[in-house]
Amino acid sequence: MSHYRAPGVPSEACCLLAFARFDEPRGSLCVAEEVGFEIKRAYWIFDLPEGAGRANHAHREQYEVLVAVRGSFTVHCDYGSSRDHFGLDSPDTGLLIPPMVFHDVDGFSADAVCLVFASGPYEHAEYVRDYDEFRELASVR
């Protein structure tokens, strides 16, 4: 697996991951053995209505990797002082989102399936859903 991070981008910024991909006449296979953390939860989002948006939060301590296993979508990552935008459209590429990155996902194609690997179980208190609270927390780190 390869990590893509532009020179000068802080280590707490989102970055693309390239998964091993094997193509053969019987079909293709991608492998995600190492994503930068131990996977404790996996879930997927699909059958999204036109114009839908998801996420719109940050995690206090958890990491996530988002993968477009089918279709495409855009992930917007906000670090408090700057933003990045990532278009995901291939099952052999994931986006690593570290803690305290406010992110939202939109632009889903009609056939989109978003697979998410998370470093922890669902815990309501783990989420920062209020953008003003995020900005305040981001300014002290």
Side-chain angles (χ1 to χ4, degrees), residues 5-59:
R5 189 186 310 277
V9 173
S11 62
E12 65 272 4
C14 298
C15 69
L16 294 173
L17 308 175
F19 299 120
R21 180 178 176 141
F22 304 94
D23 296 312
E24 59 177 66
R26 299 179 302 156
S28 298
L29 171 83
C30 289
V31 178
E33 291 180 332
E34 296 180 30
V35 296
F37 57 84
E38 183 180 353
I39 298 169
K40 302 279 185 144
R41 177 172 54 121
Y43 60 94
W44 43 100
I45 303 164
F46 59 99
D47 288 344
L48 293 130
E50 186 175 338
R54 297 295 305 225
N56 204 34
H57 62 265
H59 288 280

Side-chain angles (χ1 to χ4, degrees), residues 33-131:
E33 291 180 332
E34 296 180 30
V35 296
F37 57 84
E38 183 180 353
I39 298 169
K40 302 279 185 144
R41 177 172 54 121
Y43 60 94
W44 43 100
I45 303 164
F46 59 99
D47 288 344
L48 293 130
E50 186 175 338
R54 297 295 305 225
N56 204 34
H57 62 265
H59 288 280
R60 295 176 191 278
E61 297 181 13
Q62 291 185 17
Y63 289 80
E64 289 187 328
V65 170
L66 279 61
V67 182
V69 293
R70 173 172 286 217
S72 62
F73 49 85
T74 302
V75 184
H76 309 276
C77 298
D78 186 322
Y79 311 112
S81 59
S82 64
R83 288 178 62 91
D84 280 330
H85 309 279
F86 299 88
L88 297 178
D89 62 1
S90 177
D92 63 4
T93 304
L95 178 65
L96 174 64
I97 302 175
M100 291 309 299
V101 173
F102 202 89
H103 57 285
D104 55 270
V105 187
D106 62 16
F108 291 96
S109 63
D111 61 343
V113 177
C114 174
L115 171 64
V116 181
F117 298 122
S119 66
Y122 175 82
E123 296 176 14
H124 180 75
E126 166 66 17
Y127 289 73
V128 180
R129 298 184 188 279
D130 181 85
Y131 185 73

